[in-house]
Amino acid sequence: MTELPLSGVKVVDFCWIGAGSYTTKLLADLGADVIKVESSKSLDSLRLAAPYAGGIKGVNRSGYFADRNSSKRSITINMKDPRGVAIVHQLIQDCDIVANNFRPGTMDKLGVGYQALREMNPGLIFIGMSMNGDEGPDRTMLGYGITIAALTSFLGLSGYPDREPTGTGTNYPDHVPNPCHGAFAIMCALRHKNRTGEGQLIDMAQTEPMLSLMPIPVMDYSVNGRMAGRIGNRLEGYSPRGVYPVQGEDRWIAISVSSDEQWLALCSILGGPDLVNPEWEKEVGRHTAMDEIDRAIATQTADRDGYALMQNLQAQGVTSGVVQNASDLVDRDPQLKHRNHWRYLPHKEMGDSLYNGPPFQFASGPIGPRFAAPLLGEHNREVLTGKAGLDDLDIHDLVEQDVLV
């Protein structure tokens, strides 16, 4: 079997919830040995997040947790007990990376802050992924995806002009900008370590990767003094650009026209007298009649099969895509099937469970989730006898004494 890209990299993972856990999942799926430090006394709240397999609640049955923690091993440690801290110190002595997304100072209070750990492991890469970073007036603020989206104006720009901000329906910062930037920073630090032997302290503020999504409103304000507002699905220079009904209950198609040629192609496919207007043949004319054009398009698309219409429009160079739901993605999408994106992995409590594959492939061999998300504390014996120098009797005693819980 081909060695995975990150085989041999060792990670001790203190991350909770979304962004941090997804960051370390990216490493685990590529071969890193990621040991997730947990405790039944203070659960990762993602273990308590729906949906649950079979609709049955349980700390080992969250699909959300599972998707963010594939290919990891779980140990349970009481970090308030000095003996628990000492065990973690043993694990960290020969690891490459320690990751957390707590507020600044939390890791120090637990006895696993960077300054303490670098003394025992000078080559350690330590990443903290707090909301606002380690320094500054707002460093201690508590935040989640929705608050990060709010603070960075992403939330304020999402929705329609005459309605309150609506966001994206999911904690977007947790799924794309923060884990990807976090993993990239770690990979840079690993490369630096491979060249120099030096460790690294990475101070990542989860608000700041979100600013990479804001070039247009920030530039418009800094250069023109204009404040961007919510514009729904519209975008300057694209006419029309929106989501329109197709056959079926709550079924839609997105259409984005960026040129006069695309507009003529759209009209030829949809037909209908409501779209025939010489003034609309140029973008400047369409821009002033967006509401009327949207109504006319919706009239023509409402009785059409969304997938057939998408294929016809794409064949004529018109950017379009059916608004797919979860069933479409898992059971119908031919591109995802072709790329073997979805992977079923056996889970000890949930049975065969669906996991995302990576959004990239390596020519050297298959990559992706290697095994299902761990049960809480599933690997205590495996990890602690192999890496922390404990034997079965030690582990039994520490469980009885609430150290391994």
Side-chain angles (χ1 to χ4, degrees), residues 263-341:
W263 167 253
L264 293 176
L266 174 66
C267 291
S268 69
I269 292 172
L270 294 183
D274 290 347
L275 291 174
V276 179
N277 187 328
E279 294 182 0
W280 295 352
E281 293 180 4
K282 298 295 182 181
E283 196 276 332
V284 65
R286 296 194 299 276
H287 183 76
T288 59
M290 292 290 285
D291 290 340
E292 185 179 353
I293 290 173
D294 281 345
R295 288 192 293 269
I297 292 175
T299 298
Q300 296 300 319
T301 61
D303 294 329
R304 296 176 184 251
D305 176 80
Y307 286 95
L309 179 57
M310 176 179 70
Q311 291 172 357
N312 289 339
L313 291 171
Q314 287 281 355
Q316 296 301 314
V318 180
T319 307
S320 59
V322 171
V323 179
Q324 298 198 119
N325 56 33
S327 175
D328 298 327
L329 293 173
V330 174
D331 297 327
R332 181 167 184 168
D333 192 296
Q335 186 66 21
L336 294 176
K337 286 183 182 294
H338 178 81
R339 290 180 60 83
N340 190 32
H341 179 81

Side-chain angles (χ1 to χ4, degrees), residues 6 15 103 124 141 151 158 187 202 215 271 290 297 315 354 379:
L6 294 182
C15 294
R103 280 187 285 183
L124 180 68
M141 285 181 65
L151 285 170
S158 302
M187 295 305 298
I202 304 172
M290 292 290 285
I297 292 175
L354 190 67
H379 301 98

Side-chain angles (χ1 to χ4, degrees), residues 11 13-29 34-38 43-47 64-72 99-102 127 129 173-175 178-180 182-183 186 206 373-374:
V11 184
D13 180 15
F14 290 89
C15 294
W16 283 31
I17 314 181
S21 294
Y22 200 2
T23 300
T24 50
K25 164 199 162 64
L26 295 173
L27 307 178
D29 286 348
V34 177
I35 299 171
K36 187 174 179 70
V37 180
E38 303 188 78
L43 282 171
D44 180 345
S45 57
L46 207 60
R47 281 195 177 273
Y64 197 174
F65 176 90
D67 186 72
R68 291 295 180 266
N69 290 281
S70 57
S71 309
K72 300 180 186 180
N100 81 92
N101 58 342
F102 299 132
I127 182 169
M129 298 175 62
D174 288 349
H175 309 314
N178 288 326
C180 291
I186 290 170
Q206 289 198 42

Side-chain angles (χ1 to χ4, degrees), residues 226-294:
R226 295 186 301 201
M227 295 288 289
R230 293 184 290 281
I231 56 175
N233 292 313
R234 293 179 180 174
L235 185 64
E236 185 174 352
Y238 293 77
S239 303
R241 185 177 188 269
V243 176
Y244 308 96
V246 291
Q247 281 181 358
E249 183 178 355
D250 195 27
R251 302 300 305 200
W252 308 84
I253 188 170
I255 299 173
S256 180
V257 170
S258 60
S259 69
D260 297 335
E261 291 75 20
Q262 287 184 354
W263 167 253
L264 293 176
L266 174 66
C267 291
S268 69
I269 292 172
L270 294 183
D274 290 347
L275 291 174
V276 179
N277 187 328
E279 294 182 0
W280 295 352
E281 293 180 4
K282 298 295 182 181
E283 196 276 332
V284 65
R286 296 194 299 276
H287 183 76
T288 59
M290 292 290 285
D291 290 340
E292 185 179 353
I293 290 173
D294 281 345

